[in-house]
Amino acid sequence: MRVEQCSSEPVDATRDVDVTVVGAGPVGLVLAAELALAGATVQVFERRTAPDESAKAGGINVPTAEALDRRGLLPAAEQVQRELFERMGFARAVDDQAPGGGERARQPRLTGHFAGMVLDADLVDWSDPDLAAHASVGGARMVPQRELEALLAEHVARLGVPVRRGVAVTALDDTGDGVLVGTTAGPVRTGWLVGCDGGRSTVRRLAGVDFPGTDPELTGRVATVDIADPEKLANGWTWSTRGVYRCGPERGRVITVEFDGASGDRSAPVTLAELQASLRRVSGTDVTLTALRGAATRWTDNARQAATYRSGRVLLAGDAAHVHSPFGGQGLNLGVGDAMNLGWKLGAVVAGWAPEGLLDTYDAERHPLGAWVLDWTRAQIGVLRGDAKSAALRAVVADLLSTGAGATHTVKQLSGVTQRVDLPGDHPLVGRFAPDLWLGNGSRLVDHGHGGGFLLLDRTPDGAFARLASAWAGRVSSVTDDHTTPTGVLVRPDGVVAWASDTTDVTDLEAALHRWAGAPSSAARVCSPTAARSTRTGTPSDADGRPPARTFES
């Protein structure tokens, strides 16, 4: 499934491109795809000449899986998981009851771990509203990073986005109306530049963005290997005073963690001898590794976050904006969330229907979540150490995780289903990722939005919400359904609910459309709230007394 988009042609310095994305990992590819769907001209530069084949993240969380679902990529992701489970020898588990009353069957329960303490699926309350509302993507959670990148490369290729490999950024100059970029293939003029180029981001450094945080104290290694005597190693996570190691769940996959102050050269390739020596130290055995299958990865618990995700016309996403240890599998998912949030907003600014002020909400919405993830990973390091105090703390945390409430809470945090953006509105759905919304015809709301844009669910008896949104044609797609609650839901292109209601009042919807979708895109008259009567109250809204629609300022 690997698609390589390489270009040996020199970069055209005379051609204006709306956005240049630096980095062709999953974050850069998601961002490029979202920009293309928004109508922007976009190109991707990647310093590597070929896709990174090293062992990295082993799965994705719910928001990432739902991002794939929103773009019609869920079937391909489900196929990746099925093939992975077949290789691992796992049988496919299916519940008798499909989620949300629909036809999509639930998949094996995936829980994750906290500091190596695997959460027991049997303790989790899967009927918890937060978990039950996001069950449709259960068949696409075990998608390793390499397979995800290949899937996204195909997606970007279909959208016609050029990915130019072997091109590194060497300089940049934000001129106020664009960015002049120096590259190893020649100079480039671009409207906007986005660094998705990893923890050692060249774009971040050249832009002069501070990267404060905490220094590393451990070295971790992950690889898939051939083991001559696997019986010498315990399955799962194992702690000792020398460190931590894990074998599985995929055959030959090993992880080692040593609290050595992150010494050594992190840029050097991880050799089989280095990995074997580390595994022998932490396991206390003389286990023998005979071969590396693919490249190994070395990492630390260096935890840092960019002081700002935007500096003029230069923006940061993914590891360029935040780095931390991979415990809990948060890094890849956090970066994909960045790309989904930024993609439609930058696309709107490029298209001209939103002012630059919309981009300020990118930092405002994503920076707090990044800070939370950094602390979440730091906390796990605190219970991983081999000293007696950390061991005692680990025992306390293990007791909490062995309870139903503790396991359920932690799974919800790890899965991402509780993530929320602080947005105006009193409805409990506002600011959350849209739940599984099944329609009367058996489809889901997400099935109607694979091309990007806003989605409006209208369950009013007379289609009042859809009539109002028709003035935003081309940006908002309306889907009508049988009358029930919620009566209306407006979902942003990144999956966040911008407005929701259990009534038929259009006042707040009009404000939300102006706030997020800009001025009406057609000459159609925006339905005045005075013309819309609530079927619940029968009382017209007071047009003169309603709050003005909130819009972004440039």
Side-chain angles (χ1 to χ4, degrees), residues 443-464:
S443 68
R444 297 170 301 143
L445 180 62
V446 71
D447 297 330
H448 300 268
H450 292 168
F454 290 81
L455 268 179
L456 174 65
L457 175 61
D458 182 355
R459 286 170 166 166
T460 61
D462 59 352

Side-chain angles (χ1 to χ4, degrees), residues 499-523:
W499 165 88
S501 177
D502 293 331
T503 75
T504 57
D505 187 356
V506 301
T507 306
D508 290 339
L509 172 59
E510 183 178 349
L513 287 168
H514 276 283
R515 177 180 177 84
W516 294 111
S521 54
S522 74

Side-chain angles (χ1 to χ4, degrees), residues 22-388:
V22 182
V27 176
L29 293 175
V30 169
L31 177 60
E34 292 301 293
L35 288 165
L37 288 172
T41 58
V42 56
Q43 62 186 354
V44 181
F45 292 161
E46 169 57 53
R47 65 177 179 81
R48 297 177 184 270
T49 57
D52 186 1
E53 296 290 344
S54 59
K56 292 187 176 179
I60 59 178
N61 69 0
V62 168
T64 297
E66 289 181 336
L68 299 177
D69 193 10
R70 282 193 297 277
R71 299 299 174 253
L73 303 175
L74 184 62
E78 289 175 332
Q79 180 61 26
V80 169
Q81 177 166 303
R82 281 194 293 270
E83 293 174 357
L84 176 63
F85 280 1
E86 289 174 2
R87 293 196 301 269
M88 296 167 63
F90 287 178
R92 182 170 179 263
V94 179
D95 290 342
D96 293 332
Q97 180 64 42
E103 298 180 355
R104 186 181 298 276
R106 287 178 181 165
Q107 303 295 318
R109 304 297 196 185
L110 304 176
T111 57
H113 70 90
F114 183 87
M117 291 173 278
V118 178
L119 299 155
D120 187 345
D122 292 336
L123 294 174
V124 177
D125 178 9
W126 297 104
S127 67
D128 181 280
D130 289 326
L131 293 171
H134 297 272
S136 292
V137 295
R141 295 286 308 285
M142 288 290 288
V143 180
Q145 183 165 334
R146 283 179 293 187
E147 283 78 0
L148 175 64
E149 187 174 325
L151 186 156
L152 292 171
E154 289 186 340
H155 179 48
V156 167
R158 286 192 295 269
L159 293 171
V161 176
V163 178
R164 307 186 187 281
R165 293 193 171 274
V167 178
V169 171
T170 58
L172 67 85
D173 180 18
D174 185 344
T175 62
D177 60 352
V179 184
L180 298 177
V181 186
T183 79
T184 53
V188 175
R189 185 172 66 237
T190 187
W192 300 83
L193 181 69
V194 186
C196 303
D197 50 340
R200 301 178 185 181
S201 170
T202 299
V203 172
R204 185 188 65 238
R205 177 178 55 80
L206 292 173
V209 177
D210 290 338
F211 204 42
T214 53
D215 293 332
E217 56 181 291
L218 65 79
T219 300
R221 299 170 180 85
V222 58
T224 301
V225 298
D226 291 332
I227 308 174
D229 40 12
E231 69 279 358
K232 293 182 178 180
L233 301 174
N235 289 324
W237 291 90
T238 305
W239 294 265
S240 73
T241 57
R242 298 170 295 278
V244 186
Y245 75 94
R246 181 196 185 190
C247 286
E250 192 173 2
R251 183 179 178 182
R253 183 177 173 89
V254 296
I255 299 173
T256 68
V257 177
E258 296 182 83
F259 286 88
D260 58 359
S263 59
D265 182 7
R266 284 195 59 209
S267 63
V270 181
T271 64
L272 182 66
E274 176 188 340
L275 189 63
Q276 176 175 277
S278 177
L279 185 56
R280 286 181 172 183
R281 285 192 295 268
V282 297
S283 68
T285 71
D286 59 353
V287 64
T288 298
L289 308 184
T290 58
L292 274 175
R293 287 192 270 130
T297 301
R298 187 189 297 106
W299 47 270
T300 75
D301 60 323
N302 183 36
R304 299 185 180 278
Q305 185 176 27
T308 178
Y309 290 5
R310 179 192 176 195
S311 175
R313 285 180 169 259
V314 180
L315 299 110
L316 304 171
D319 287 353
H322 39 71
V323 295
H324 49 80
S325 76
F327 287 111
Q330 300 289 333
L332 167 64
N333 298 298
L334 186 60
V336 170
D338 293 344
M340 292 298 296
N341 188 291
L342 176 60
W344 74 269
K345 293 175 180 177
L346 184 53
V349 172
V350 168
W353 60 260
E356 287 188 24
L358 178 60
L359 294 178
D360 293 335
T361 68
Y362 168 57
D363 185 271
E365 293 179 1
R366 297 301 299 177
H367 205 278
L369 181 58
W372 176 86
V373 169
L374 259 67
D375 281 343
W376 182 263
T377 60
R378 288 183 181 115
Q380 294 182 74
I381 301 304
V383 299
L384 271 175
R385 299 186 188 98
D387 61 274

